Amino acid sequence: MKKWVFTVVGIVLVLLGVLWVLQGSGEMSGSTMSGEKQFLVIGVVVGIIGLGLLVTGVRTFATARRS
């Protein structure tokens, strides 16, 4: 059960981080976040955390299959 949670939350955080990076860098317009550098930084941090959770979730899948 735990491995699914890490994987799903990791995917969601990576996607959210990419969205915030695009908005913060001004590539996506139409919101109050567009062009705000703080959201660029927040997006990078959230994306890195998401990648860490995603890697953890995938590794638990791999080790569970070997056992």
Side-chain angles (χ1 to χ4, degrees), residues 24-36:
S25 65
E27 295 297 321
M28 290 181 68
S29 59
S31 78
T32 57
M33 293 170 38
S34 297
E36 296 290 327

Side-chain angles (χ1 to χ4, degrees), residues 5-23:
V5 173
F6 281 135
T7 304
V8 171
V9 172
I11 290 170
V12 170
L13 287 179
V14 167
L15 292 175
L16 190 62
V18 168
L19 175 67
W20 284 349
V21 165
L22 290 174
Q23 286 180 330

